[in-house]
Amino acid sequence: MTALSQDRNTLRRDGQQMEPPVAGNTRIYGGSIVCINGAGLAVPGSLSATLKTVGVAEHRADNTGGAAGAMRVGVRKGPHRFTNSAAADAVTLADIGSDCYIVDDQTVAKTHATSTRSVAGKVFDVDADGVWVDFR
């Protein structure tokens, strides 16, 4: 490739949004934790040690009956509030700045439960209504 000899329209992203392709036969609900599976496809957060969290679904993506990659889901990064786990696995203010872990597509916990849970993100804050998870 040669050096530019005129202006170039260089595309950019702000790093806060993305649209990964959705796994086949998968439904992701708006407002849920979205992860990338081993095939590089978007799936809802679930109990698994192999998922990579990418953020929160901006809308529902219903690919039930569809092939892998037949649709995409809008995902937003940054702090979002989710349900806190219970009892000894509940996230507390002392956990701010630490990793928290996926229980399901709307719940996070303090521990990885003997390496059976994937990292959701960093604890940003904790209040009476849940855990603010930073997906950056």
Side-chain angles (χ1 to χ4, degrees):
M1 191 122 236
T2 60
L4 291 175
S5 61
Q6 62 185 11
D7 294 339
R8 178 180 188 267
N9 182 17
T10 303
L11 300 177
R12 68 177 179 90
R13 293 183 176 177
D14 67 6
Q16 296 302 308
Q17 294 174 285
M18 63 185 300
E19 287 192 5
V22 179
N25 205 32
T26 299
R27 178 182 298 129
I28 298 172
Y29 289 101
S32 68
I33 297 171
V34 178
C35 299
I36 299 296
N37 65 16
L41 299 167
V43 295
S46 64
L47 188 60
S48 169
T50 62
L51 299 175
K52 296 178 210 166
T53 307
V54 291
V56 177
E58 292 187 302
H59 55 83
R60 181 184 298 195
D62 191 349
N63 197 25
T64 53
M71 68 180 342
R72 293 181 172 265
V73 63
V75 175
R76 180 166 289 284
K77 297 186 174 292
H80 292 76
R81 184 170 55 204
F82 287 93
T83 304
N84 200 347
S85 194
D89 221 7
V91 179
T92 68
L93 287 170
D95 298 311
I96 290 175
S98 298
D99 288 338
C100 61
Y101 300 86
I102 301 169
V103 174
D104 57 39
D105 63 355
Q106 68 167 345
T107 310
V108 295
K110 179 178 191 148
T111 71
H112 55 69
T114 319
S115 298
T116 60
R117 296 179 181 147
S118 296
V119 173
K122 295 281 185 195
V123 177
F124 183 79
D125 197 6
V126 180
D127 60 32
D129 295 318
V131 180
W132 288 87
V133 180
D134 194 350
F135 299 99
R136 286 186 269 197

